[in-house]
Amino acid sequence: MDKGYYEFLVKGKPNKTAKLLKIVFIALAILTVAAALLLGNTILIILGVAFGAGAYFASLYTEVEYEYLYLEKELSIDKVFNKERRKHVETLSIDKAQVFAPEKSSKLDNYGNVQGKVTDYSCPDENSGLKKFVMYYEGNRKIFFSLDEEPIKLFKNKCPRTFSEY
């Protein structure tokens, strides 16, 4: 495999706070519009529309996916909200990774005491068929990923020093 480019999409953890806000705003919108119609109050109609707008904006952040883009020893990570909007999160240089291995690999035993920032870009669904990998990056970061077979082969070929599939 001589491919130096790979793009992969992983479903992220659902944003429970945004879902709860969306439900609350919808309920408030329905109640205020119903009260406005019963009382004939235009201020309540405006308030109901504002709650509806709040529900719309809260719904923009309920579903999150992560897109991994590997190109020239760099792994770029983007967040995709509701399959519509994209936000670049970060770009990681594979050369700065200390180790990149499966979550329960013995290769990670020496890194158990590393203190630092933990970032999770993995799929929360255990039955998704993806393998959860951990990257220790620049000595002070622990980053979780979910990968399928093709990016595993790619990383194994492109960075054999740091990558382990066992």
Side-chain angles (χ1 to χ4, degrees):
M1 172 182 257
D2 202 47
K3 187 176 179 184
Y5 170 83
Y6 190 73
E7 194 171 339
F8 187 61
L9 197 63
V10 173
K11 191 167 186 73
K13 294 178 182 171
N15 190 339
K16 294 177 183 175
T17 306
K19 281 187 178 185
L20 181 66
L21 272 175
K22 177 182 167 185
I23 292 169
V24 167
F25 279 137
I26 288 173
L28 288 172
I30 291 171
L31 290 174
T32 54
V33 168
L37 293 175
L38 289 175
L39 300 174
N41 191 340
T42 57
I43 294 175
L44 286 177
I45 290 177
I46 295 170
L47 189 61
V49 170
F51 284 136
Y56 169 74
F57 286 113
S59 72
L60 292 177
Y61 298 97
T62 54
E63 289 186 37
V64 177
E65 295 176 328
Y66 294 105
E67 181 183 60
Y68 310 143
L69 175 69
Y70 176 81
L71 178 66
E72 302 289 325
K73 292 218 177 209
E74 285 192 343
L75 184 62
S76 177
I77 300 153
D78 292 348
K79 262 186 180 179
V80 180
F81 298 103
N82 284 352
K83 299 180 183 180
E84 295 175 1
R85 296 185 21 239
R86 168 183 313 269
K87 178 183 176 191
H88 179 72
V89 179
E90 68 180 309
T91 302
L92 304 168
S93 174
I94 299 299
D95 293 333
K96 294 180 182 178
Q98 292 174 313
V99 67
F100 196 176
E103 185 178 30
K104 295 180 171 107
S105 173
S106 62
K107 303 271 185 191
L108 301 174
D109 291 345
N110 296 335
Y111 298 92
N113 296 331
V114 173
Q115 300 293 322
K117 183 178 176 184
V118 177
T119 311
D120 191 357
Y121 300 126
S122 66
C123 177
D125 186 12
E126 296 292 327
N127 300 324
S128 64
L130 303 173
K131 294 180 182 176
K132 195 168 189 176
F133 278 78
V134 177
M135 175 194 288
Y136 282 94
Y137 190 73
E138 292 186 328
N140 62 352
R141 289 193 60 200
K142 182 178 182 180
I143 306 170
F144 290 95
F145 298 96
S146 292
L147 302 174
D148 68 356
E149 292 303 319
E150 193 169 339
I152 290 172
K153 290 177 189 173
L154 176 73
F155 285 124
K156 184 179 177 184
N157 289 334
K158 294 293 180 179
C159 44
R161 182 184 63 84
T162 56
F163 187 80
S164 172
E165 64 179 309
Y166 305 108

